[in-house]
Amino acid sequence: MPDPQANAKAGMPVNHDFAVIDTPDGEMVMFCAYPDGPGPFPAAIVISGQPGPSSPEITAAEILANQGYVGCTVDLMHRGPGVHQNEDQVARRRNLTDPGTIADMNAGLDYLKSLPFVQSDNIGIVGFCMGGRVAYMMAGARHDIGAICSLYGSGIYEGYGRPAPIEFTDKIECPVLILNGDKDRVITPEEALRVADTLKEHGKTVET
């Protein structure tokens, strides 16, 4: 297996691509940053919080690429509307159902797995806030996820059009990393530990 750090050590340049991917609800944009060279490289999709993908997720993809990974982010908010005020953001979040999110993520993951420079059996998901919930949900929905990282992932006990992600904990087959601040208010430390305890009760590999 290629060393994912090799490109970072060699100081090789990073490439950038935008792809337009078909989903059941229209076209979705995916941004990818990846090391120069033939690969194949391990990969990770970075999922944003409620505002949608912006500079933090792009930066995270860049950081991954500089460490020898293919780093991507997808626009789960492609259904709109555009955000011009807080009310727009609330409306856009309401347009995002769990079945729609799973369909979007499946389209993004399948596209990523089709790329010749990606290790199709070595793909993870990193999620911030709402994105942490998406990472958890996808780990329970697919068996080909290598690992997930939930950073202050909120809403794991809530469902939007299907049972809550926590209900599919027994289906998770990959390691889970949960990162949460001691004073976090998006998801409290108590709730984050409750998620970790549920994973442990099901015999899953989890680190907090």
Side-chain angles (χ1 to χ4, degrees):
M1 178 180 295
D3 178 5
Q5 301 292 333
N7 292 283
K9 293 173 183 174
M12 297 181 72
V14 170
N15 300 302
H16 309 87
D17 279 336
F18 282 96
V20 178
I21 300 169
D22 289 329
T23 80
D25 291 326
E27 295 179 336
M28 176 181 68
V29 174
M30 171 185 271
F31 168 81
C32 286
Y34 51 96
D36 201 16
F41 307 104
I45 296 183
V46 183
I47 307 300
S48 70
Q50 181 170 314
S54 55
S55 55
E57 292 75 38
I58 298 295
T59 299
E62 295 276 356
I63 291 171
L64 285 167
N66 277 289
Q67 293 298 316
Y69 295 79
V70 177
C72 300
T73 185
V74 293
D75 183 14
L76 298 179
M77 302 297 181
H78 64 89
R79 295 167 185 81
V83 174
H84 302 287
Q85 53 190 350
N86 288 337
E87 290 79 5
D88 295 332
Q89 189 176 110
V90 173
R92 185 164 68 167
R93 177 64 184 87
R94 286 174 179 163
N95 284 338
L96 191 63
T97 66
D98 287 347
T101 298
I102 290 173
D104 287 351
M105 289 296 297
N106 283 338
L109 286 162
D110 291 346
Y111 170 78
L112 193 56
K113 289 166 69 73
S114 74
L115 297 176
F117 54 86
V118 170
Q119 293 177 16
S120 61
D121 59 348
N122 197 5
I123 299 175
I125 303 175
V126 180
F128 297 93
C129 196
M130 182 199 80
R133 177 186 182 278
V134 172
Y136 198 99
M137 181 168 66
M138 293 308 300
R142 291 181 63 129
H143 303 295
D144 56 352
I145 306 299
I148 67 164
C149 178
S150 174
L151 296 101
Y152 52 94
S154 61
I156 292 173
Y157 287 89
E158 301 174 25
Y160 302 97
R162 75 191 291 266
I166 197 71
E167 299 297 329
F168 297 92
T169 300
D170 63 320
K171 305 294 185 184
I172 294 176
E173 298 182 1
C174 66
V176 177
L177 174 62
I178 297 175
L179 299 178
N180 202 70
D182 291 339
K183 297 182 180 179
D184 206 321
R185 293 179 297 176
V186 174
I187 173 173
T188 64
E190 291 77 18
E191 184 176 341
L193 289 173
R194 185 155 59 107
V195 172
D197 288 343
T198 301
L199 285 160
K200 292 174 183 176
E201 289 169 5
H202 284 83
K204 310 302 179 181
T205 301
V206 58
E207 183 177 344
T208 57

